[in-house]
Amino acid sequence: MMDYLVEISSTEWINHDVLQIITSKPEGYAFIPGQATNIAINKPGLEEKSAPFTFTSTPDKPYLEFIIKIYADHNGFTNELQQVKPGDELKIGDPWGSIEYRGSGIFIAGGAGITPFISILRQLQEDRESEENKLIYANKTTKDIILKDELEKMPGLSVIHILSEENNSDYKHGIIDYNTVSSTISSKNQKIYLCGPGKMMESIENILKKLNIESDRIIKEEF
């Protein structure tokens, strides 16, 4: 795997614990919407620490964008990332990942698990694809929803928000359960795109089995 150096051009907090980082893009660097790369900070003592993050820009953009949830209470790598500033450098590797768009269907995401879907959904908008897709997106509270306004305004995308720790009359309350999934799926031949915490994914995969959704219809990545 190759390492590439990219320079940070901007950082911006897009909600209370989510940081957008935009960097330069190596010449000839290419990825598929939904893919990720390993990122390290190019500073003494930090070059050997890395973690995977998804590209949230589309491949044709002249820059790379990463939307990253910062876990301030974990004392981990994202705490180091929130200290970077324009002019700093990151080391990134080759793109990887199993999520890519294979046709219309249902996207199911939990928290930061939305990030691989952002590039895919943005690419569909750029391509002016007329395919209808649905998104079931679980978060703790309204303030945790990443790119809420952008997602809700995307033509052809129906968004169902579920909040586990907030009662809001506009959104479902609780977790992604059998009733929510079964009422959203219109055909067992639909594609299901799945990304989120391990326990959430395990629960949803069990639901999909009960609904007789074949495993080859499920495109997933644990986040």
Side-chain angles (χ1 to χ4, degrees):
M1 178 177 285
M2 291 185 64
D3 280 332
Y4 305 84
L5 282 180
V6 295
E7 182 177 329
I8 295 173
S9 56
S10 70
T11 64
E12 180 183 356
W13 290 94
I14 61 172
N15 75 16
H16 70 104
D17 63 355
V18 176
L19 184 65
Q20 176 203 63
I21 298 177
I22 293 179
T23 76
S24 60
K25 184 177 182 180
E27 185 175 353
Y29 193 87
F31 64 91
I32 297 169
Q35 287 190 311
T37 187
N38 289 324
I39 292 179
I41 302 170
N42 191 36
K43 291 184 177 181
L46 297 177
E47 309 101 312
E48 302 306 317
K49 297 179 183 178
S50 68
F53 297 98
T54 310
F55 304 101
T56 50
S57 49
T58 51
D60 61 332
K61 293 290 189 289
Y63 57 82
L64 299 176
E65 180 196 77
F66 301 93
I67 291 177
I68 298 170
K69 186 175 178 67
I70 304 298
Y71 298 92
D73 58 343
H74 287 192
N75 195 29
F77 184 72
T78 62
N79 269 338
E80 303 285 356
L81 270 179
Q82 70 174 319
Q83 308 299 326
V84 300
K85 59 187 184 301
D88 289 344
E89 290 182 327
L90 302 178
K91 290 166 61 176
I92 67 171
D94 292 321
W96 57 268
S98 59
I99 290 184
E100 63 177 284
Y101 191 64
R102 301 180 193 171
S104 63
I106 299 170
F107 294 84
I108 304 176
I114 190 67
T115 53
F117 302 151
I118 292 171
S119 181
I120 292 173
L121 295 170
R122 284 175 167 174
Q123 186 67 62
L124 291 175
Q125 303 305 305
E126 290 182 11
D127 294 343
R128 298 186 178 181
E129 291 287 346
S130 59
E131 294 181 323
E132 297 291 319
N133 288 287
K134 295 179 181 179
L135 169 65
I136 304 174
Y137 188 17
N139 283 281
K140 292 180 180 179
T141 68
T142 309
K143 70 177 184 178
D144 298 310
I145 301 172
I146 297 173
L147 297 181
K148 176 179 175 293
D149 291 343
E150 180 178 346
L151 291 170
E152 292 178 357
K153 291 176 182 176
M154 285 184 171
L157 182 67
S158 300
V159 183
I160 300 168
H161 291 291
I162 299 180
L163 305 177
S164 62
E165 297 181 7
E166 177 185 331
N167 283 304
N168 185 317
S169 59
D170 293 330
Y171 306 127
K172 289 178 176 286
H173 176 67
I175 62 172
I176 302 175
D177 58 15
Y178 180 90
N179 288 338
T180 301
V181 177
S182 62
S183 63
T184 307
I185 293 175
S186 57
S187 166
K188 68 178 183 178
N189 293 320
Q190 280 185 302
K191 299 287 194 305
I192 308 293
Y193 301 89
L194 177 59
C195 187
K199 287 185 178 179
M200 185 204 88
M201 291 183 59
E202 182 180 352
S203 171
I204 292 171
E205 287 188 85
N206 286 333
I207 291 171
L208 295 174
K209 285 180 184 177
K210 292 178 182 178
L211 292 169
N212 297 315
I213 305 296
E214 298 292 338
S215 59
D216 62 357
R217 314 296 295 181
I218 304 171
I219 301 99
K220 63 181 181 177
E221 194 87 74
E222 185 170 337
F223 195 89

